[in-house]
Amino acid sequence: GDGRGDSEMGDSGGGFAFAKALAALSLGDEVALSSSSDVDALTYTIPDAPITDLVFLSNGMGIVPALSQAKAVIASVRSISIVWVNSEESDFVKECYEKLERFFYRFNRRVDVSCCLSAVEKGDGRSVDDVRKPTSLGSCPEVAEGVPDYRPGFWAVLSGPVGFTVEAQKYLVQERYFPSGAVCILPP
């Protein structure tokens, strides 16, 4: 790369422009990433509290960006908790599960991983990502164990379908005492 911040990657060219820019890079080139001004998905608004611990709460394929983010910051934080919630066992995609498992074994002193089937009984018409009939994430023992109560320096990152992230944000703020500024939602 030439060191210039190519703004067209954030324009309507979307993924194609990003892929084209990546293809132009050579091995060893440095890149800098930043969010566009209209996206505040990764804004941490707790003043004077450096981020020391991360909590990732994901549903479905939301585990992919969560795991990617966790790998990117593992050297910068004291601990990471990853909780992957799904309503069906088959939703734990084998490839993602194996990558999550490898990440845990590599950093097991600093990473905690929990996988949880939602507490919703099959056939009752509700799912963890149904906004109209939200379920309580706190009723899942793996979520209750895997998501610590807020302490200064904690930051929660949510990923998955919109209904899930809305419910997860409510759970973190109401039941785990996270200030809303210490919770961010990755774009679906």
Side-chain angles (χ1 to χ4, degrees):
D2 61 7
R4 289 180 289 147
D6 293 332
S7 62
E8 71 263 8
M9 287 190 286
D11 293 344
S12 61
F16 176 73
F18 181 72
K20 187 176 172 185
L22 284 179
L25 295 173
S26 298
L27 187 63
D29 283 353
E30 291 186 19
V31 296
L33 300 176
S34 65
S35 64
S36 64
S37 60
D38 62 335
V39 176
D40 62 350
L42 298 179
T43 302
Y44 182 74
T45 59
I46 304 301
D48 302 322
I51 298 170
T52 57
D53 302 87
L54 289 172
V55 177
F56 289 91
L57 192 50
S58 303
N59 176 240
M61 292 309 290
I63 193 62
V64 174
L67 186 54
S68 175
Q69 293 291 319
K71 286 177 178 180
V73 299
I74 187 65
S76 306
V77 295
R78 182 176 41 212
S79 71
I80 295 177
S81 294
I82 302 172
V83 180
W84 188 13
V85 180
N86 284 306
S87 55
E88 299 286 334
E89 193 169 339
S90 61
D91 292 338
F92 292 105
V93 179
K94 182 180 178 185
E95 293 80 13
C96 295
Y97 184 86
E98 290 171 350
K99 287 179 182 179
L100 186 60
E101 187 177 52
R102 282 193 301 273
F103 183 65
F104 169 74
Y105 285 127
R106 183 170 178 200
F107 299 104
N108 63 33
R109 293 185 179 178
R110 295 177 37 216
V111 174
D112 183 37
V113 172
S114 301
C115 294
C116 175
L117 287 172
S118 68
V120 179
E121 291 186 25
K122 192 173 181 179
D124 73 352
R126 297 186 335 168
S127 71
V128 82
D129 56 352
D130 185 344
V131 168
R132 294 161 303 171
K133 301 176 185 174
T135 63
S136 172
L137 290 172
S139 67
C140 180
E142 292 86 351
V143 172
E145 288 177 25
V147 177
D149 286 339
Y150 176 79
R151 291 190 312 263
F154 274 37
W155 194 30
V157 180
L158 310 177
S159 58
V162 172
F164 170 80
T165 57
V166 167
E167 181 65 18
Q169 185 173 28
K170 278 195 295 185
Y171 170 72
L172 289 170
V173 170
Q174 294 173 3
E175 297 182 42
R176 294 305 196 161
Y177 317 110
F178 275 73
S180 58
V183 178
C184 79
I185 301 173
L186 295 177

